[in-house]
Amino acid sequence: MSGAVLVTGATGGIGRAIAMRLARDGWRVIGTTRDQVRAEELLASARRHGVTLRTVLMDVTDAASRERAFGEALELSGGRLRAVVNNAGMAMSGTVEDVSEQSARDVLELNLLGPAQLARLALPVMRDQGGGRIVNVSSLSGRVATPMIGWYCASKHGLEALSDAMRMEAERDGVRVVIVQPGCYPTELWNEVFTGMAAIGPSAYADCYRLLDAVRPWVTGRLPSSPEPVARAVRRALTDPRPRARYAVGVDARVALAAERLLPGRAADAAKQAVVGLRAAGLWRLLRANRPLPATGGVRG
């Protein structure tokens, strides 16, 4: 099918990797960015890598901006849209109790409602042209709820539920809706998780935040070096003749998703509570005693 692929949030770590990978593979890529400075940085990066892509300015959470940018993207693509990759998103850390109402609205607007509304613009176009694909970049948190990032999990759970519904609704029109579930990668989104916790004021969970901040360098040092595996998964979601409903990316994502299916509820809860410091466990006892963390090998996706 002719036409372009629209990639939202194309200047972030995962979004940039997706846009560059698809452009290198010969796709006509239109990347969205929130401001012209970021757009110029993306275009310069593309030139350095010897690839071509286009950009449009879009605030995914603003209806007027979405509609204007979507119209511009259609013009750039000659009126045919091969695919939309909903990648733009934000992290939101803190317990459900500690996150303000406005902050909760912000993460739901960007991670859930924005992709849904962009899909509403794309679906009629894809129906008229006889097909297309919508790839929604979720997270392992879209299936595995974790304490301390509850609102982020809620936004990604919602995105996956919406994607499942759209997949069934749009299939008869030749539109395939696919979910990509990355694990943890060293991107701006990952950094937002920890900086968000550090910014929380007095809290009943302050000890957990301190412990997570202490373990941050140890965890960060064991993350995959690049989000390129996510870009390859998106490419597969766009090119598989019969795409799966979900593509999990990274060892951590696959292990966490399998554990969520297999462990009894109470055991899964206890494990997650131990990881974030809500229950005493070996790792956290080491931290409380100011002993060094074990020098084990890290997860690579």
Side-chain angles (χ1 to χ4, degrees):
M1 180 188 296
S2 62
V5 55
L6 181 65
V7 180
T8 69
T11 57
I14 289 178
R16 182 184 293 254
I18 293 169
M20 298 295 287
R21 165 51 55 194
L22 294 179
R24 282 195 295 268
D25 290 347
W27 291 66
R28 295 171 59 195
V29 177
I30 303 171
T32 81
T33 176
R34 288 174 295 177
D35 59 68
Q36 190 61 39
V37 172
R38 286 174 174 257
E40 292 299 332
E41 290 174 352
L42 177 62
L43 293 172
S45 177
R47 287 192 294 270
R48 288 194 299 272
H49 287 84
V51 300
T52 301
L53 51 79
R54 309 291 291 273
T55 62
V56 294
L57 299 183
M58 178 192 290
D59 179 351
V60 178
T61 66
D62 180 82
S65 178
R66 277 195 308 267
E67 292 175 7
R68 175 192 50 73
F70 185 78
E72 291 178 7
L74 275 183
E75 289 183 11
L76 291 172
S77 67
R80 295 187 66 83
L81 192 62
R82 189 173 178 183
V84 169
V85 179
N86 278 312
N87 164 77
M90 66 181 291
M92 180 57 61
S93 55
T95 64
V96 173
E97 177 185 351
D98 285 341
V99 173
S100 70
E101 180 178 345
Q102 185 56 56
S103 294
R105 289 181 183 276
D106 289 344
V107 72
L108 293 173
E109 284 280 354
L110 181 53
N111 292 1
L112 174 57
L113 296 178
Q117 296 307 317
L118 189 57
R120 291 187 66 218
L121 294 174
L123 283 168
V125 174
M126 292 180 177
R127 181 183 301 112
D128 289 345
Q129 69 188 19
R133 297 207 179 175
I134 296 174
V135 177
N136 291 328
V137 180
S138 179
S139 163
L140 70 88
S141 297
R143 285 285 184 175
V144 181
T146 306
M148 306 296 166
I149 54 170
W151 283 107
Y152 177 73
C153 294
S155 70
K156 292 300 187 179
H157 272 63
L159 180 63
E160 296 215 7
L162 203 74
S163 300
D164 287 338
M166 277 197 296
R167 184 182 66 252
M168 293 180 280
E169 294 164 354
E171 185 178 17
R172 68 177 187 178
D173 296 316
V175 180
R176 302 291 181 260
V177 181
V178 187
I179 299 165
V180 171
Q181 300 169 310
C184 297
Y185 288 86
T187 63
E188 293 177 9
L189 195 74
W190 172 260
N191 291 330
E192 286 174 8
V193 171
F194 289 95
T195 56
M197 288 184 186
I200 294 172
S203 167
Y205 305 94
D207 58 333
C208 296
Y209 298 144
R210 284 194 298 270
L211 289 169
L212 289 169
D213 186 59
V215 81
R216 175 184 182 178
W218 186 81
V219 175
T220 301
R222 284 152 177 79
L223 293 177
S225 59
S226 165
E228 182 63 22
V230 186
R232 293 196 297 267
V234 169
R235 179 186 61 188
R236 184 176 177 187
L238 292 172
T239 56
D240 277 356
R242 300 182 65 182
R244 300 201 302 261
R246 286 170 172 77
Y247 293 84
V249 188
V251 174
D252 58 338
R254 291 191 288 271
V255 169
L257 291 165
E260 186 76 2
R261 290 192 299 269
L262 298 173
L263 285 176
R266 287 182 180 274
D269 285 356
K272 295 172 193 175
Q273 288 169 322
V275 167
V276 301
L278 290 167
R279 283 175 181 253
L283 174 62
W284 305 112
R285 282 197 288 269
L286 286 175
L287 286 170
R288 288 193 173 102
N290 292 318
R291 292 167 59 187
L293 294 168
T296 58
V299 172
R300 290 294 182 266

